[in-house]
């Protein structure tokens, strides 16, 4: 007879339910999923069983109840702080970064801040399965403090001359960050990749909005459900390049949104309507690096460092109002967010406001001050 007070015994029962193949596996209820994840975060489960738990959930496809249960465990372990700013935005790209192009996300919060919307982004150094360029890498190469405490991050966001900050996962949910090595060993993506982007370490004293991205069509309603459960008053879920927050610069795209108790809504995106005309979907990695990356990815640390440095250079150029794909990426992402929260009357108005914030030098000044 199993001793259900024993964590290993309870995990054994959960694995017997979810890891018995495509036809016989059964879903956990919300309480079981929360208990399983809580035991993993508390270090009560050995890495082999912890990995099986997460992979088995993914292989059978997580139910809504399982996602909510695992998310509840993460929420209970997340350190949070309220800002003095009434309304704030969280920008959350996939934490495993970008491989096919450069990222605009490190520079987007400064544009939002210059447009009157305090914004934070969050992430970590590197995690599988992609091990791509991350916001932390780019900001660290810019000399930014990427290890702020919640209090220091909140002070930056609430500072009217800055208005943005970056928070690292290891400082607001260290028990999840401690699973990076396990996630590397697992190789494949787990539900943690989905759930970590909807965590809400900072929240405004009136409202908090989420800007995130997706790739697969099934995910917008899942992200909406999870964002509401985490307490986000609204969310924009973008069909972005590499699952990020910026739509394709060269193709039609779409995003989904909700406000309050509103049902999720679909919105059409046409880059040319915002004056964006690019041949490539995203900011390209230079050819001299791309050829090597096709063979090794970012396993070559010299290549990674060179690409991150180039990413920073392109981002600073964009904030200095140099035209190009990075500049257009910032305008596009900002236009969506500004319209959604009501700071712009339309997407085109949002794009105009973003361009003005960049051209005035305010966005660059805020980035440098952050």
């Amino acid at each position: 007879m199993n001793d259900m007070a024993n964590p290993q015994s309870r995990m054994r029962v959960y694995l017997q339910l979810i890891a018995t193949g495509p036809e016989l596996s059964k879903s956990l209820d919300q309480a079981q999923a929360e208990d399983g994840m809580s035991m993993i975060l508390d270090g009560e489960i050995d890495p082999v069983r912890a990995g099986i738990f997460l992979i088995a959930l993914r292989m059978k496809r997580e139910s809504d109840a399982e996602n909510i249960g695992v998310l509840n465990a993460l929420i209970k372990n997340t350190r949070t702080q309220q800002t003095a700013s009434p309304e704030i935005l969280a920008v959350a790209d996939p934490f495993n970064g970008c491989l096919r192009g450069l990222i605009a996300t490190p520079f987007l919060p400064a544009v939002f801040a210059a447009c009157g919307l305090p914004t934070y982004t969050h992430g970590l150094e590197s995690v599988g399965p992609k091990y791509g360029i991350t916001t932390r890498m780019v900001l660290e190469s810019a000399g930014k403090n990427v290890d702020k405490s919640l209090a220091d991050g909140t002070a930056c966001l609430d500072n009217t001359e800055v208005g943005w900050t970056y928070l690292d996962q290891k400082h607001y949910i260290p028990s999840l960050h401690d699973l990076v090595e396990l996630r590397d060993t697992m190789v494949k993506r787990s539900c943690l990749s989905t759930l970590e982007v909807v965590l809400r370490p900072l929240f405004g004293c009136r409202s908090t909005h989420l800007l995130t991205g997706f790739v697969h069509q099934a995910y917008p309603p899942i992200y909406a459900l999870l964002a509401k459960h985490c307490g986000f008053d609204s969310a924009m879920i973008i069909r972005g390049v590499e699952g990020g927050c910026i739509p394709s610069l060269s193709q039609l795209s779409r995003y989904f949104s909700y406000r309050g108790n509103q049902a999720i809504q679909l919105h059409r995106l046409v880059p040319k309507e915002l004056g964006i005309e690019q041949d490539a979907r995203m900011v390209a990695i230079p050819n001299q690096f791309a050829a090597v990356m096709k063979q090794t990815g970012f396993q070559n640390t010299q290549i990674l460092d060179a690409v991150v440095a180039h990413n920073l250079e392109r981002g600073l150029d964009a904030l200095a109002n140099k035209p190009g794909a990075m500049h257009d990426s910032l305008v596009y992402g900002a236009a969506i967010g500004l319209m959604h929260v009501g700071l712009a009357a339309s997407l085109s108005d949002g794009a105009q406001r973003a361009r003005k914030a960049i051209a005035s030098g305010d966005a660059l000044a805020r980035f440098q001050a952050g």
Side-chain angles (χ1 to χ4, degrees):
M1 182 176 179
N2 288 322
D3 176 11
M4 293 306 288
N6 184 299
Q8 297 295 339
S9 297
R10 296 205 304 279
M11 181 57 77
R12 180 183 180 87
V13 171
Y14 301 156
L15 295 183
Q16 287 174 330
L17 289 171
I18 63 176
T20 55
E23 297 180 0
L24 297 178
S25 291
K26 297 179 177 61
S27 293
L28 303 177
D29 63 30
Q30 183 175 309
Q32 291 171 324
E34 180 177 341
D35 183 45
M37 191 67 227
S38 293
M39 292 189 293
I40 292 172
L41 293 171
D42 290 343
E44 297 177 319
I45 304 300
D46 66 83
V48 172
R49 288 190 175 185
I52 294 172
F53 178 82
L54 293 167
I55 286 294
L57 287 176
R58 172 45 49 102
M59 293 299 289
K60 64 172 267 312
R61 296 194 178 183
E62 303 91 347
S63 67
D64 286 346
E66 288 169 332
N67 274 326
I68 293 294
V70 174
L71 181 58
N72 280 342
L74 298 179
I75 291 171
K76 288 178 180 178
N77 280 268
T78 300
R79 301 165 182 167
T80 63
Q81 186 159 330
Q82 180 174 296
T83 69
S85 302
E87 186 168 40
I88 68 170
L89 173 67
V91 174
D93 259 356
F95 283 18
N96 58 14
C98 286
L99 280 178
R100 300 186 183 95
L102 305 181
I103 55 172
T105 311
F107 314 98
L108 187 56
V111 179
F112 278 123
C115 293
L117 181 59
T119 300
Y120 74 92
T121 185
H122 54 134
L124 41 66
E125 175 73 22
S126 181
V127 69
K130 283 166 63 177
Y131 307 101
I133 309 167
T134 62
T135 292
R136 178 186 167 110
M137 290 177 184
V138 176
L139 292 177
E140 191 167 22
S141 73
K144 304 301 178 188
N145 178 5
V146 291
D147 286 306
K148 294 187 187 79
S149 65
L150 279 178
D152 289 342
T154 301
C156 283
L157 188 141
D158 286 335
N159 185 331
T160 56
E161 295 183 357
V162 181
W164 72 278
T165 196
Y166 167 83
L167 295 175
D168 198 86
Q169 187 182 80
K170 64 184 176 184
H171 297 297
Y172 64 84
I173 180 166
S175 56
L176 176 56
H177 190 270
D178 288 345
L179 299 181
V180 165
E181 184 176 349
L182 173 66
R183 294 167 70 178
D184 291 346
T185 303
M186 287 163 49
V187 179
K188 298 300 289 182
R189 188 180 189 273
S190 74
C191 63
L192 299 181
S193 298
T194 300
L195 301 175
E196 63 193 353
V197 302
V198 300
L199 292 176
R200 197 187 62 148
L202 298 183
F203 57 98
C205 58
R206 187 178 69 212
S207 56
T208 311
H209 312 280
L210 173 67
L211 174 64
T212 192
F214 75 97
V215 174
H216 302 295
Q217 186 59 46
Y219 275 89
I222 295 173
Y223 275 120
L225 171 72
L226 299 172
K228 287 181 180 180
H229 189 75
C230 267
F232 283 100
D233 299 282
S234 79
M236 298 148 278
I237 306 156
I238 313 293
R239 177 66 165 87
V241 288
E242 292 204 54
C245 298
I246 308 298
S248 169
L249 301 176
S250 62
Q251 300 169 332
L252 302 180
S253 191
R254 60 194 182 280
Y255 76 97
F256 297 81
S257 72
Y258 76 82
R259 292 184 181 87
N261 294 321
Q262 180 187 71
I264 191 170
Q265 296 184 350
L266 170 65
H267 308 266
R268 168 178 155 284
L269 292 169
V270 183
K272 289 185 178 181
E273 291 181 355
L274 302 183
I276 295 172
E277 298 194 23
Q278 295 287 339
D279 294 328
R281 297 175 63 244
M282 64 190 305
V283 189
I285 293 175
N287 291 334
Q288 67 266 33
F289 303 130
V292 177
M293 286 178 53
K294 285 182 180 179
Q295 302 298 322
T296 64
F298 281 133
Q299 295 176 33
N300 184 319
T301 56
Q302 288 183 326
I303 293 294
L304 174 59
D305 291 344
V307 174
V308 169
H310 183 75
N311 202 136
L312 173 61
E313 181 181 351
R314 295 290 297 277
L316 292 175
D317 283 346
L319 290 177
N321 207 32
K322 183 176 180 178
M326 183 68 80
H327 184 280
D328 285 348
S329 295
L330 297 179
V331 168
Y332 208 172
I336 296 168
L338 293 173
M339 184 188 76
H340 176 82
V341 302
L343 289 176
S346 64
L347 281 173
S348 58
D349 181 40
Q352 182 179 359
R353 290 172 182 268
R355 289 188 176 102
K356 183 178 179 180
I358 294 171
S360 70
D362 191 17
L364 177 59
R366 288 172 181 273
F367 180 82
Q368 292 173 332

